[in-house]
Amino acid sequence: MDKPYLKQFPDENGFFGKFGGSFVPENIKKAMDEINVAYDLIAQNSDFIAELRKIRKHFQGRPTPIYFAHNLTKKYGGAGIYLKREDLNHTGAHKLNHCMGEALLAKFMGKKKLIAETGAGQHGVAIATAAAYFGLECEVHMGEVDIAKEHPNVVRMKILGAKVVPVTKGAKTLKEAVDSAFEAYLNDLDNSIYAIGSVVGPHPFPKMVRDFQAIVGVESREQFLEMTGELPDIVTACVGGGSNAMGIFSGFIDDSVELVGVEPLGRGSKLGEHAASLSYGSEGIMHGFNSIMLKDKGENPAPVYSVASGLDYPSVGPEHAYLHSIGRTKVATISDEEAIAAFFELSKGEGIIPAIESSHAVAYALKIAPELKGKKILVNLSGRGDKDIDFIVEKFGYGE
């Protein structure tokens, strides 16, 4: 019998087919190799695994439940809509799943400081939480545009003891925050670890973040079988870099379940108006890994846009690029308008206020459900919308 998919990919050099790898200068390569060796060591260490399980249960509040959205299922009159409630994970999103793992690894390696980037602020809050838990310093780089838009999360990071570094270059959003964080990490390789916030970056980060996020898929598969006696027909999640999607997909990758990544179409299909890399991009290297990215005419990363700060990234995790290239996953797009409508639908219809990022996946489920009577759709509700409410009310009112 063939080995399960997760045991086969990536290969020892961090490649998923032709995607992934580590395209970085020698000094960063050395640091990445050090992280890779340490990660391989602790991944087999029963003490590390036991510690992580204890953290997940007693600190994070895992397992998070699956909820049957009975009101929306009834309203849309087709497929059953189920939500994996990662919004109930401590700090309000899936991000803590890998942040606690990365911080535990940093502690094991004797590092004193965590450096990270953030878009919507959920990764920033999670890494600040992990740093506080383990007694580490924390520095979070965030674009000025996102600082203004996601103010509640900026306040949370500072309360947790993190230093928030405003990024003023370029579009002042997620890509620039990654650039800035990498630069800070380069200046302090001995004392710090760069805790990447998604399944992106040079090897071993796409693998490592996926492995830490795989708990979402493991729980989902067990819970869905227990709830319904069968697997879902469709599993869907929003995709920016793609950590929440890779987490839930990994639980179903060897099953005959349709996996759909939902990308942000923003204001339309014109370059610069969206951040749908898999839908409109081409092969390219950025931030140390080969994947599918949106490029300008000069082959550089193109400007991107999404109403969701956590999705406006011009590339996508290399594993997503690979799975899409072999036809194992499908890709859909949802516009700003559709995502905001879904935000209010879930809030008013079920009493759950979702993150704008997660609202993209909810919107896709609502879009396809009426035509799929008798089927079951599982949505990864990757985060809650507390961080978004000021922005939503200012721009869209109360959805009346």
Side-chain angles (χ1 to χ4, degrees), residues 67 69 72-73 76 79-87 235-239 244 260-263 311 332-335 337-350 352-370 377-385:
Y67 168 70
L72 290 184
T73 297
Y76 284 81
I81 299 168
Y82 293 78
L83 309 174
K84 175 60 171 165
R85 298 289 309 276
E86 287 300 288
D87 59 311
V235 174
T236 185
C238 64
V239 175
N244 91 91
V260 185
V262 182
E263 295 193 307
L311 300 181
T333 57
I334 286 292
S335 68
E337 196 178 333
E338 291 169 316
I340 298 303
F343 172 93
F344 285 115
E345 279 286 89
L346 187 56
S347 298
K348 295 173 192 296
E350 297 286 355
I352 299 168
I353 301 174
I356 301 176
E357 289 76 16
S358 318
S359 300
H360 284 72
V362 175
Y364 175 71
L366 299 182
K367 199 173 187 174
I368 63 171
I377 305 169
L378 175 59
V379 178
N380 195 9
L381 195 71
S382 54
R384 65 175 181 242

Short mmCIF file of all heavy atoms in Angstrom, two decimals, residues 67 69 72-73 76 79-87 235-239 244 260-263 311 332-335 337-350 352-370 377-385:
data_model
loop_
_atom_site.label_atom_id
_atom_site.label_comp_id
_atom_site.label_asym_id
_atom_site.label_seq_id
_atom_site.Cartn_x
_atom_site.Cartn_y
_atom_site.Cartn_z
N TYR A 67 -20.39 22.50 14.16
CA TYR A 67 -21.76 22.97 14.39
C TYR A 67 -22.58 22.85 13.11
O TYR A 67 -22.12 23.24 12.03
CB TYR A 67 -21.71 24.44 14.85
CG TYR A 67 -23.05 25.15 14.85
CD1 TYR A 67 -24.04 24.82 15.78
CD2 TYR A 67 -23.32 26.16 13.93
CE1 TYR A 67 -25.26 25.47 15.78
CE2 TYR A 67 -24.54 26.82 13.92
CZ TYR A 67 -25.50 26.47 14.85
OH TYR A 67 -26.72 27.12 14.84
N ALA A 69 -25.27 24.27 10.94
CA ALA A 69 -25.93 25.57 10.77
C ALA A 69 -27.38 25.34 10.31
O ALA A 69 -27.69 25.43 9.13
CB ALA A 69 -25.16 26.42 9.77
N LEU A 72 -29.40 28.41 8.46
CA LEU A 72 -28.95 28.69 7.09
C LEU A 72 -29.24 27.52 6.16
O LEU A 72 -29.59 27.70 5.00
CB LEU A 72 -27.46 29.04 7.06
CG LEU A 72 -27.07 30.39 7.68
CD1 LEU A 72 -25.58 30.65 7.50
CD2 LEU A 72 -27.87 31.54 7.08
N THR A 73 -29.10 26.30 6.69
CA THR A 73 -29.43 25.12 5.89
C THR A 73 -30.90 25.16 5.47
O THR A 73 -31.23 24.92 4.30
CB THR A 73 -29.14 23.83 6.68
OG1 THR A 73 -27.74 23.77 6.97
CG2 THR A 73 -29.54 22.59 5.90
N TYR A 76 -31.51 28.15 2.88
CA TYR A 76 -30.99 27.96 1.53
C TYR A 76 -31.51 26.68 0.87
O TYR A 76 -31.33 26.48 -0.32
CB TYR A 76 -29.46 28.05 1.54
CG TYR A 76 -29.02 29.49 1.66
CD1 TYR A 76 -28.99 30.13 2.90
CD2 TYR A 76 -28.70 30.24 0.53
CE1 TYR A 76 -28.63 31.47 3.01
CE2 TYR A 76 -28.34 31.58 0.64
CZ TYR A 76 -28.32 32.19 1.88
OH TYR A 76 -27.98 33.52 1.98
N ALA A 79 -28.05 21.73 0.45
CA ALA A 79 -27.08 20.93 1.22
C ALA A 79 -27.08 21.31 2.69
O ALA A 79 -27.37 22.45 3.04
CB ALA A 79 -25.69 21.13 0.63
N GLY A 80 -26.72 20.35 3.53
CA GLY A 80 -26.50 20.64 4.95
C GLY A 80 -25.20 21.41 5.10
O GLY A 80 -24.18 21.04 4.52
N ILE A 81 -25.24 22.50 5.86
CA ILE A 81 -24.05 23.34 6.04
C ILE A 81 -23.53 23.15 7.47
O ILE A 81 -24.25 23.37 8.45
CB ILE A 81 -24.39 24.84 5.79
CG1 ILE A 81 -24.87 25.03 4.34
CG2 ILE A 81 -23.16 25.71 6.06
CD1 ILE A 81 -25.49 26.38 4.07
N TYR A 82 -22.28 22.72 7.56
CA TYR A 82 -21.63 22.47 8.85
C TYR A 82 -20.42 23.39 8.98
O TYR A 82 -19.75 23.68 7.98
CB TYR A 82 -21.16 21.02 8.94
CG TYR A 82 -22.27 19.99 8.97
CD1 TYR A 82 -22.94 19.63 7.79
CD2 TYR A 82 -22.65 19.38 10.16
CE1 TYR A 82 -23.97 18.69 7.81
CE2 TYR A 82 -23.67 18.43 10.18
CZ TYR A 82 -24.32 18.09 9.01
OH TYR A 82 -25.33 17.16 9.03
N LEU A 83 -20.14 23.83 10.19
CA LEU A 83 -19.03 24.75 10.44
C LEU A 83 -18.04 24.15 11.44
O LEU A 83 -18.45 23.75 12.54
CB LEU A 83 -19.54 26.08 11.01
CG LEU A 83 -20.67 26.79 10.26
CD1 LEU A 83 -21.15 28.00 11.06
CD2 LEU A 83 -20.22 27.22 8.87
N LYS A 84 -16.77 24.08 11.08
CA LYS A 84 -15.73 23.73 12.04
C LYS A 84 -15.37 25.01 12.78
O LYS A 84 -14.85 25.96 12.18
CB LYS A 84 -14.51 23.14 11.32
CG LYS A 84 -13.31 22.84 12.23
CD LYS A 84 -13.62 21.85 13.34
CE LYS A 84 -12.33 21.43 14.07
NZ LYS A 84 -12.62 20.76 15.35
N ARG A 85 -15.64 25.04 14.08
CA ARG A 85 -15.63 26.29 14.84
C ARG A 85 -14.23 26.68 15.35
O ARG A 85 -13.99 26.77 16.55
CB ARG A 85 -16.63 26.19 15.99
CG ARG A 85 -18.08 25.98 15.59
CD ARG A 85 -18.71 27.23 14.95
NE ARG A 85 -18.52 28.43 15.74
CZ ARG A 85 -19.31 28.80 16.76
NH1 ARG A 85 -20.33 28.05 17.13
NH2 ARG A 85 -19.08 29.92 17.42
N GLU A 86 -13.32 26.97 14.42
CA GLU A 86 -12.00 27.46 14.83
C GLU A 86 -12.08 28.85 15.46
O GLU A 86 -11.13 29.29 16.11
CB GLU A 86 -11.03 27.45 13.65
CG GLU A 86 -10.56 26.06 13.25
CD GLU A 86 -9.84 25.34 14.37
OE1 GLU A 86 -8.70 25.70 14.71
OE2 GLU A 86 -10.44 24.40 14.96
N ASP A 87 -13.21 29.53 15.27
CA ASP A 87 -13.41 30.81 15.94
C ASP A 87 -13.47 30.64 17.46
O ASP A 87 -13.30 31.61 18.21
CB ASP A 87 -14.68 31.49 15.44
CG ASP A 87 -15.94 30.65 15.65
OD1 ASP A 87 -15.92 29.45 15.30
OD2 ASP A 87 -16.93 31.18 16.18
N VAL A 235 -15.47 19.83 1.49
CA VAL A 235 -14.81 20.58 2.56
C VAL A 235 -14.25 21.85 1.93
O VAL A 235 -13.57 21.79 0.90
CB VAL A 235 -13.68 19.77 3.22
CG1 VAL A 235 -12.91 20.63 4.22
CG2 VAL A 235 -14.23 18.53 3.91
N THR A 236 -14.56 23.00 2.53
CA THR A 236 -14.12 24.25 1.92
C THR A 236 -13.55 25.20 2.96
O THR A 236 -13.92 25.17 4.13
CB THR A 236 -15.29 24.92 1.14
OG1 THR A 236 -14.79 26.07 0.46
CG2 THR A 236 -16.43 25.35 2.07
N ALA A 237 -12.60 26.03 2.52
CA ALA A 237 -11.93 26.99 3.40
C ALA A 237 -11.39 28.13 2.56
O ALA A 237 -11.10 27.95 1.37
CB ALA A 237 -10.79 26.30 4.15
N CYS A 238 -11.26 29.31 3.18
CA CYS A 238 -10.67 30.44 2.45
C CYS A 238 -9.17 30.20 2.29
O CYS A 238 -8.54 29.51 3.10
CB CYS A 238 -10.94 31.75 3.19
SG CYS A 238 -10.18 31.88 4.82
N VAL A 239 -8.61 30.80 1.24
CA VAL A 239 -7.17 30.65 0.96
C VAL A 239 -6.55 32.01 0.65
O VAL A 239 -6.94 32.67 -0.31
CB VAL A 239 -6.91 29.70 -0.23
CG1 VAL A 239 -5.43 29.66 -0.57
CG2 VAL A 239 -7.41 28.30 0.07
N ASN A 244 -5.26 27.77 7.16
CA ASN A 244 -6.48 27.14 7.68
C ASN A 244 -7.01 26.09 6.71
O ASN A 244 -7.50 25.03 7.12
CB ASN A 244 -7.53 28.20 8.03
CG ASN A 244 -8.48 28.53 6.89
OD1 ASN A 244 -9.55 27.93 6.74
ND2 ASN A 244 -8.11 29.49 6.05
N VAL A 260 -12.24 22.34 -1.62
CA VAL A 260 -12.35 23.59 -2.39
C VAL A 260 -11.75 24.76 -1.62
O VAL A 260 -12.20 25.11 -0.53
CB VAL A 260 -13.82 23.92 -2.73
CG1 VAL A 260 -13.89 25.16 -3.63
CG2 VAL A 260 -14.51 22.74 -3.40
N GLY A 261 -10.71 25.36 -2.21
CA GLY A 261 -10.11 26.57 -1.64
C GLY A 261 -10.80 27.79 -2.23
O GLY A 261 -11.00 27.86 -3.44
N VAL A 262 -11.16 28.74 -1.37
CA VAL A 262 -11.90 29.92 -1.83
C VAL A 262 -10.99 31.14 -1.76
O VAL A 262 -10.52 31.54 -0.69
CB VAL A 262 -13.16 30.15 -0.97
CG1 VAL A 262 -13.95 31.35 -1.49
CG2 VAL A 262 -14.04 28.89 -0.97
N GLU A 263 -10.72 31.71 -2.93
CA GLU A 263 -9.83 32.86 -3.03
C GLU A 263 -10.61 34.17 -3.09
O GLU A 263 -11.77 34.20 -3.52
CB GLU A 263 -8.96 32.74 -4.27
CG GLU A 263 -7.99 31.56 -4.24
CD GLU A 263 -6.93 31.65 -5.32
OE1 GLU A 263 -7.29 31.81 -6.52
OE2 GLU A 263 -5.75 31.55 -4.99
N LEU A 311 -6.10 37.92 3.61
CA LEU A 311 -6.09 37.21 2.32
C LEU A 311 -5.37 37.97 1.21
O LEU A 311 -5.19 37.44 0.12
CB LEU A 311 -7.54 36.92 1.86
CG LEU A 311 -8.42 36.07 2.78
CD1 LEU A 311 -9.80 35.87 2.16
CD2 LEU A 311 -7.77 34.72 3.09
N ALA A 332 -12.27 28.21 -6.04
CA ALA A 332 -13.40 29.09 -6.35
C ALA A 332 -13.03 30.51 -5.93
O ALA A 332 -12.07 30.71 -5.18
CB ALA A 332 -14.64 28.62 -5.59
N THR A 333 -13.76 31.48 -6.44
CA THR A 333 -13.51 32.87 -6.02
C THR A 333 -14.80 33.49 -5.49
O THR A 333 -15.90 33.17 -5.95
CB THR A 333 -13.00 33.74 -7.18
OG1 THR A 333 -13.94 33.69 -8.26
CG2 THR A 333 -11.63 33.27 -7.67
N ILE A 334 -14.63 34.35 -4.51
CA ILE A 334 -15.76 35.08 -3.90
C ILE A 334 -15.37 36.55 -3.83
O ILE A 334 -14.26 36.90 -3.40
CB ILE A 334 -16.07 34.52 -2.49
CG1 ILE A 334 -16.76 33.16 -2.59
CG2 ILE A 334 -16.92 35.48 -1.67
CD1 ILE A 334 -18.18 33.16 -3.17
N SER A 335 -16.29 37.43 -4.24
CA SER A 335 -16.02 38.87 -4.25
C SER A 335 -16.19 39.46 -2.85
O SER A 335 -16.79 38.85 -1.96
CB SER A 335 -16.98 39.57 -5.21
OG SER A 335 -18.31 39.50 -4.69
N GLU A 337 -18.17 41.80 -2.07
CA GLU A 337 -19.63 41.97 -1.86
C GLU A 337 -20.26 40.68 -1.35
O GLU A 337 -21.06 40.69 -0.39
CB GLU A 337 -20.27 42.38 -3.20
CG GLU A 337 -21.66 42.95 -3.06
CD GLU A 337 -22.23 43.38 -4.42
OE1 GLU A 337 -21.44 43.72 -5.34
OE2 GLU A 337 -23.46 43.37 -4.54
N GLU A 338 -19.90 39.57 -1.96
CA GLU A 338 -20.45 38.26 -1.54
C GLU A 338 -19.98 37.89 -0.13
O GLU A 338 -20.74 37.36 0.68
CB GLU A 338 -20.02 37.17 -2.53
CG GLU A 338 -20.68 37.29 -3.89
CD GLU A 338 -20.04 36.36 -4.92
OE1 GLU A 338 -18.79 36.28 -4.98
OE2 GLU A 338 -20.81 35.72 -5.67
N ALA A 339 -18.71 38.20 0.18
CA ALA A 339 -18.16 37.87 1.50
C ALA A 339 -18.85 38.68 2.60
O ALA A 339 -19.20 38.14 3.66
CB ALA A 339 -16.66 38.13 1.52
N ILE A 340 -19.09 39.97 2.34
CA ILE A 340 -19.74 40.83 3.34
C ILE A 340 -21.20 40.39 3.54
O ILE A 340 -21.71 40.35 4.67
CB ILE A 340 -19.66 42.32 2.94
CG1 ILE A 340 -18.19 42.78 2.86
CG2 ILE A 340 -20.46 43.19 3.90
CD1 ILE A 340 -17.38 42.60 4.13
N ALA A 341 -21.86 40.02 2.45
CA ALA A 341 -23.25 39.52 2.57
C ALA A 341 -23.28 38.25 3.43
O ALA A 341 -24.15 38.09 4.30
CB ALA A 341 -23.81 39.22 1.17
N ALA A 342 -22.30 37.36 3.24
CA ALA A 342 -22.23 36.12 4.03
C ALA A 342 -21.90 36.42 5.50
O ALA A 342 -22.40 35.75 6.41
CB ALA A 342 -21.17 35.19 3.45
N PHE A 343 -21.08 37.45 5.73
CA PHE A 343 -20.76 37.89 7.10
C PHE A 343 -22.05 38.20 7.86
O PHE A 343 -22.26 37.74 8.98
CB PHE A 343 -19.86 39.13 7.02
CG PHE A 343 -19.60 39.81 8.34
CD1 PHE A 343 -18.48 39.49 9.09
CD2 PHE A 343 -20.47 40.78 8.83
CE1 PHE A 343 -18.22 40.12 10.31
CE2 PHE A 343 -20.23 41.42 10.06
CZ PHE A 343 -19.10 41.08 10.79
N PHE A 344 -22.94 38.95 7.23
CA PHE A 344 -24.20 39.32 7.88
C PHE A 344 -25.18 38.15 7.94
O PHE A 344 -25.92 38.00 8.91
CB PHE A 344 -24.84 40.53 7.19
CG PHE A 344 -24.15 41.83 7.49
CD1 PHE A 344 -23.50 42.55 6.50
CD2 PHE A 344 -24.12 42.33 8.79
CE1 PHE A 344 -22.85 43.75 6.79
CE2 PHE A 344 -23.48 43.52 9.09
CZ PHE A 344 -22.84 44.24 8.09
N GLU A 345 -25.16 37.31 6.92
CA GLU A 345 -26.05 36.13 6.91
C GLU A 345 -25.75 35.22 8.10
O GLU A 345 -26.66 34.78 8.80
CB GLU A 345 -25.86 35.33 5.61
CG GLU A 345 -26.61 35.86 4.42
CD GLU A 345 -28.11 35.59 4.52
OE1 GLU A 345 -28.82 36.44 5.10
OE2 GLU A 345 -28.58 34.54 4.04
N LEU A 346 -24.47 34.94 8.33
CA LEU A 346 -24.10 34.06 9.44
C LEU A 346 -24.34 34.74 10.79
O LEU A 346 -24.82 34.11 11.73
CB LEU A 346 -22.63 33.63 9.31
CG LEU A 346 -22.15 32.57 10.31
CD1 LEU A 346 -23.00 31.29 10.25
CD2 LEU A 346 -20.68 32.22 10.08
N SER A 347 -24.05 36.02 10.85
CA SER A 347 -24.25 36.77 12.10
C SER A 347 -25.72 36.79 12.49
O SER A 347 -26.09 36.44 13.63
CB SER A 347 -23.75 38.21 11.95
OG SER A 347 -22.36 38.24 11.68
N LYS A 348 -26.58 37.17 11.56
CA LYS A 348 -28.01 37.31 11.86
C LYS A 348 -28.76 35.99 11.81
O LYS A 348 -29.78 35.81 12.47
CB LYS A 348 -28.65 38.31 10.88
CG LYS A 348 -28.11 39.73 11.02
CD LYS A 348 -28.65 40.64 9.91
CE LYS A 348 -27.91 41.97 9.86
NZ LYS A 348 -28.08 42.81 11.05
N GLY A 349 -28.23 35.04 11.00
CA GLY A 349 -28.93 33.77 10.82
C GLY A 349 -28.60 32.71 11.86
O GLY A 349 -29.42 31.84 12.14
N GLU A 350 -27.38 32.78 12.43
CA GLU A 350 -26.97 31.73 13.37
C GLU A 350 -26.41 32.27 14.68
O GLU A 350 -26.11 31.50 15.59
CB GLU A 350 -25.88 30.84 12.72
CG GLU A 350 -26.34 30.07 11.49
CD GLU A 350 -27.24 28.88 11.81
OE1 GLU A 350 -27.46 28.57 13.00
OE2 GLU A 350 -27.74 28.27 10.84
N ILE A 352 -23.49 33.84 14.95
CA ILE A 352 -22.03 33.67 14.92
C ILE A 352 -21.45 34.78 14.03
O ILE A 352 -21.78 34.85 12.84
CB ILE A 352 -21.63 32.29 14.34
CG1 ILE A 352 -22.20 31.16 15.20
CG2 ILE A 352 -20.11 32.17 14.23
CD1 ILE A 352 -22.11 29.79 14.54
N ILE A 353 -20.61 35.65 14.61
CA ILE A 353 -19.99 36.72 13.82
C ILE A 353 -18.64 36.21 13.32
O ILE A 353 -17.71 36.00 14.11
CB ILE A 353 -19.79 38.00 14.67
CG1 ILE A 353 -21.14 38.50 15.22
CG2 ILE A 353 -19.13 39.09 13.84
CD1 ILE A 353 -21.02 39.67 16.19
N PRO A 354 -18.51 35.98 12.00
CA PRO A 354 -17.26 35.39 11.47
C PRO A 354 -16.24 36.45 11.07
O PRO A 354 -16.58 37.61 10.82
CB PRO A 354 -17.76 34.66 10.22
CG PRO A 354 -18.88 35.54 9.72
CD PRO A 354 -19.52 36.17 10.94
N ALA A 355 -14.99 36.07 10.99
CA ALA A 355 -13.97 36.92 10.39
C ALA A 355 -14.31 37.13 8.92
O ALA A 355 -14.93 36.27 8.29
CB ALA A 355 -12.60 36.26 10.52
N ILE A 356 -13.91 38.28 8.37
CA ILE A 356 -14.18 38.54 6.94
C ILE A 356 -13.48 37.49 6.08
O ILE A 356 -14.00 37.08 5.04
CB ILE A 356 -13.74 39.96 6.53
CG1 ILE A 356 -14.48 41.02 7.36
CG2 ILE A 356 -14.04 40.20 5.05
CD1 ILE A 356 -14.04 42.45 7.07
N GLU A 357 -12.29 37.05 6.52
CA GLU A 357 -11.57 36.00 5.77
C GLU A 357 -12.47 34.76 5.66
O GLU A 357 -12.74 34.26 4.55
CB GLU A 357 -10.26 35.64 6.47
CG GLU A 357 -9.18 36.70 6.41
CD GLU A 357 -9.42 37.87 7.36
OE1 GLU A 357 -10.26 37.74 8.30
OE2 GLU A 357 -8.80 38.92 7.17
N SER A 358 -12.92 34.27 6.80
CA SER A 358 -13.75 33.05 6.84
C SER A 358 -15.06 33.24 6.09
O SER A 358 -15.64 32.28 5.58
CB SER A 358 -14.06 32.68 8.30
OG SER A 358 -12.93 32.83 9.11
N SER A 359 -15.55 34.47 6.05
CA SER A 359 -16.82 34.76 5.37
C SER A 359 -16.76 34.41 3.88
O SER A 359 -17.78 34.14 3.26
CB SER A 359 -17.18 36.24 5.52
OG SER A 359 -17.33 36.58 6.88
N HIS A 360 -15.55 34.41 3.31
CA HIS A 360 -15.40 34.00 1.91
C HIS A 360 -15.81 32.53 1.72
O HIS A 360 -16.50 32.19 0.76
CB HIS A 360 -13.95 34.20 1.43
CG HIS A 360 -13.60 35.64 1.15
ND1 HIS A 360 -13.44 36.58 2.16
CD2 HIS A 360 -13.39 36.29 -0.02
CE1 HIS A 360 -13.14 37.75 1.60
NE2 HIS A 360 -13.09 37.60 0.28
N ALA A 361 -15.38 31.67 2.65
CA ALA A 361 -15.73 30.25 2.57
C ALA A 361 -17.22 30.05 2.86
O ALA A 361 -17.88 29.21 2.22
CB ALA A 361 -14.88 29.44 3.54
N VAL A 362 -17.74 30.81 3.82
CA VAL A 362 -19.19 30.74 4.12
C VAL A 362 -19.98 31.14 2.88
O VAL A 362 -20.96 30.48 2.51
CB VAL A 362 -19.55 31.66 5.32
CG1 VAL A 362 -21.06 31.69 5.54
CG2 VAL A 362 -18.83 31.19 6.59
N ALA A 363 -19.56 32.21 2.22
CA ALA A 363 -20.25 32.69 1.01
C ALA A 363 -20.28 31.62 -0.07
O ALA A 363 -21.30 31.43 -0.75
CB ALA A 363 -19.56 33.95 0.49
N TYR A 364 -19.16 30.91 -0.23
CA TYR A 364 -19.11 29.85 -1.24
C TYR A 364 -20.11 28.74 -0.91
O TYR A 364 -20.84 28.26 -1.78
CB TYR A 364 -17.69 29.28 -1.35
CG TYR A 364 -17.60 28.10 -2.28
CD1 TYR A 364 -17.72 28.28 -3.66
CD2 TYR A 364 -17.42 26.80 -1.79
CE1 TYR A 364 -17.66 27.20 -4.54
CE2 TYR A 364 -17.36 25.72 -2.65
CZ TYR A 364 -17.48 25.93 -4.02
OH TYR A 364 -17.43 24.86 -4.88
N ALA A 365 -20.18 28.37 0.37
CA ALA A 365 -21.12 27.32 0.79
C ALA A 365 -22.56 27.75 0.52
O ALA A 365 -23.38 26.95 0.02
CB ALA A 365 -20.93 27.01 2.28
N LEU A 366 -22.87 28.99 0.84
CA LEU A 366 -24.24 29.50 0.61
C LEU A 366 -24.57 29.55 -0.88
O LEU A 366 -25.71 29.33 -1.28
CB LEU A 366 -24.40 30.90 1.23
CG LEU A 366 -24.20 31.01 2.76
CD1 LEU A 366 -24.45 32.44 3.22
CD2 LEU A 366 -25.10 30.04 3.52
N LYS A 367 -23.56 29.81 -1.68
CA LYS A 367 -23.74 29.92 -3.14
C LYS A 367 -24.07 28.57 -3.77
O LYS A 367 -24.92 28.48 -4.66
CB LYS A 367 -22.43 30.48 -3.72
CG LYS A 367 -22.54 31.09 -5.11
CD LYS A 367 -21.20 31.74 -5.44
CE LYS A 367 -21.26 32.52 -6.73
NZ LYS A 367 -20.01 33.26 -6.98
N ILE A 368 -23.37 27.52 -3.30
CA ILE A 368 -23.56 26.20 -3.94
C ILE A 368 -24.63 25.34 -3.27
O ILE A 368 -25.16 24.41 -3.88
CB ILE A 368 -22.23 25.41 -4.01
CG1 ILE A 368 -21.70 25.08 -2.59
CG2 ILE A 368 -21.20 26.17 -4.83
CD1 ILE A 368 -20.53 24.12 -2.57
N ALA A 369 -24.96 25.64 -2.02
CA ALA A 369 -25.88 24.77 -1.25
C ALA A 369 -27.23 24.52 -1.91
O ALA A 369 -27.71 23.38 -1.92
CB ALA A 369 -26.07 25.34 0.16
N PRO A 370 -27.90 25.55 -2.47
CA PRO A 370 -29.24 25.32 -3.03
C PRO A 370 -29.31 24.24 -4.11
O PRO A 370 -30.33 23.58 -4.29
CB PRO A 370 -29.63 26.70 -3.61
CG PRO A 370 -28.82 27.68 -2.81
CD PRO A 370 -27.53 26.98 -2.53
N ILE A 377 -21.88 19.95 3.33
CA ILE A 377 -20.72 20.84 3.13
C ILE A 377 -20.14 21.19 4.50
O ILE A 377 -20.86 21.65 5.39
CB ILE A 377 -21.13 22.15 2.42
CG1 ILE A 377 -21.86 21.87 1.11
CG2 ILE A 377 -19.91 23.03 2.18
CD1 ILE A 377 -22.52 23.11 0.50
N LEU A 378 -18.84 20.99 4.65
CA LEU A 378 -18.15 21.39 5.87
C LEU A 378 -17.28 22.61 5.57
O LEU A 378 -16.40 22.56 4.71
CB LEU A 378 -17.29 20.24 6.40
CG LEU A 378 -16.41 20.55 7.62
CD1 LEU A 378 -17.25 20.99 8.82
CD2 LEU A 378 -15.54 19.34 7.99
N VAL A 379 -17.54 23.70 6.29
CA VAL A 379 -16.80 24.95 6.11
C VAL A 379 -15.84 25.12 7.29
O VAL A 379 -16.24 24.98 8.45
CB VAL A 379 -17.77 26.16 6.10
CG1 VAL A 379 -16.99 27.48 5.96
CG2 VAL A 379 -18.80 26.03 4.99
N ASN A 380 -14.59 25.45 7.00
CA ASN A 380 -13.68 25.79 8.09
C ASN A 380 -13.91 27.24 8.47
O ASN A 380 -13.50 28.16 7.76
CB ASN A 380 -12.22 25.57 7.69
CG ASN A 380 -11.30 25.57 8.90
OD1 ASN A 380 -11.75 25.57 10.04
ND2 ASN A 380 -10.00 25.58 8.66
N LEU A 381 -14.61 27.45 9.58
CA LEU A 381 -14.84 28.81 10.07
C LEU A 381 -13.59 29.21 10.85
O LEU A 381 -13.51 29.06 12.07
CB LEU A 381 -16.10 28.86 10.94
CG LEU A 381 -16.62 30.28 11.18
CD1 LEU A 381 -17.21 30.86 9.91
CD2 LEU A 381 -17.63 30.31 12.30
N SER A 382 -12.61 29.73 10.11
CA SER A 382 -11.25 29.85 10.65
C SER A 382 -11.07 30.93 11.70
O SER A 382 -10.08 30.92 12.42
CB SER A 382 -10.28 30.09 9.48
OG SER A 382 -10.71 31.21 8.72
N GLY A 383 -12.00 31.87 11.80
CA GLY A 383 -11.82 32.92 12.81
C GLY A 383 -13.09 33.68 13.09
O GLY A 383 -14.03 33.67 12.30
N ARG A 384 -13.11 34.35 14.23
CA ARG A 384 -14.27 35.16 14.59
C ARG A 384 -14.06 36.61 14.18
O ARG A 384 -12.94 37.05 13.97
CB ARG A 384 -14.59 35.03 16.07
CG ARG A 384 -13.57 35.57 17.03
CD ARG A 384 -14.09 35.49 18.47
NE ARG A 384 -13.12 36.02 19.40
CZ ARG A 384 -12.54 35.32 20.37
NH1 ARG A 384 -12.81 34.05 20.52
NH2 ARG A 384 -11.67 35.89 21.19
N GLY A 385 -15.16 37.34 14.10
CA GLY A 385 -15.12 38.66 13.50
C GLY A 385 -15.01 39.84 14.44
O GLY A 385 -15.18 40.99 14.00
#
